[in-house]
Amino acid sequence: MRTKVGIIGAGPAGLFLAHLLDRAGIDNVLLEARSRDYVEARVRAGVLEPGTVDVMTQLGLDGRMRRESMIDRVIDFRFEGRIMRVPLEATTGQHVTIYGQQEVVKDLIAARLARGGEIQFEAPVTGLEGIDGTNPVIRYKHAGADHALECDVIAGCDGFHGVCRPAIPQSAITIYDHEFPFAWFGIISRSPPIAEMTYANHSTGFALCSRRSPQVSRHYVQVASNEDIDKWSDAQFWDALHLRMGDTGINEIIEGEIVQRDIAQLRAFVAAPMRYGRLFLAGDAAHIVPPTGAKGLNLAVADVRVLSRALEDFFRSNSTERLDRYSDVALRRVWKAVRYSTYMTNLLHRYDTHSAFDRKIQVTELDYISSSEAMQKALAENYVGLPFEDQ
Ligand code: APR
Ligand code: PHB
């Protein structure tokens, strides 16, 4: 089998890239290790930057999102018994869209199949060959048999635990890795959410009230990296959330049936460059940000936006100029998102190592933001997503 672009992974990066290439008439094959059900059920974040919404709109994939999403024009921060409202729209002219990543993934899969395209599910890639030449080959398994896919270019969209990044010789890649000393315990609850996306800094730890729909809440509390969340009763989760949100005895946060629990370690990770020969990495395969800035999905979309334009030039006019710039252009945005996500993480989390002085500096930063339009604008312009670099 032969194609122009072999895309590995049907997460947001791989799916958006496949659609962008389809629109440009560039032949591609999409290989995904897991089943369709598994990929569609995977719960992740749900904050879409306007740039991500634009790509969905350009691709004609925004129908259900327009009907079912919610708009956030402000975000709230709670600390020391106060509620600080940071306007997004009033400071930047833009808002974010609340729509679950798994809903985006469902829409992208359905649209690809409806347009007669294919996605090879349950097709784990086992190895890459010849990535430093001009005819790389992807080896994968499907329906009990071994297969080979010859390509002009491979797009490594296979997430943090995929096979593409490890296929690059160690001497050709630099890894920047930072593990934060805590995790998020997340739940999904069948209960109406509070009005605004709310981030809390409390002396006992961070908390976040988010949502998936007017009837479904998504909440998180900071826990230790090695926390055994099975030992937490539902009541303990709610107590921690009320306390950290300053909601004890007020009960603005409505408790409901908890239908999912998960734990995620916070880390920042960047692999550079995002290219080796004819292999191009995009999304979590190349970088991870802590979820505090809600940037993971948006960065994956930003990568493939740059990559698809570069591939269009390459296949149209054989020009490698944009492809050669891909890693530099993508990494400039990635590092700004890593910086912002790390800033938000440090601003809002409890560090066991913090002295009384460190804690004062942390809450003073929040107090300063509350009194400074300039600080609010800086926070907001990153939250809605920095402008795209004109390439
Ligand atoms: N062969 C084929 N597919 C693979 C392989 C493999 N060897 N290894 C991993 N995959 C698939 C995974 O099953 C997954 O569906 O690659 C896909 C990668 O998808 P994501 O992990 O969602 O990564 P990405 O598309 O970069 O999306 C980034 O998703 O992880 C979140 O927070 C992150 O929001 C961000 C976004
Ligand atoms: C979520 O809704 O899951 C969510 C929202 C905002 C974040 C992280 C996660 O910063």
Side-chain angles (χ1 to χ4, degrees), residues 44-47 184 197 199 208 210 212 218 220 291-294 383:
R44 297 242 176 96
V47 178
W184 283 12
M197 176 81 77
Y199 294 83
L208 168 61
S210 180
R212 287 291 175 274
R218 174 71 164 149
Y220 301 91
T292 328
Y383 199 82

Side-chain angles (χ1 to χ4, degrees), residues 15 32 74 89 105 121 164 205 227 285 299 306 310 320 350 368:
L15 284 164
E32 165 57 50
V74 303
E89 204 158 70
V105 164
F121 288 105
C164 291
E227 192 82 30
L299 269 190
V306 178
T320 63
R350 176 193 151 84
Y368 174 42

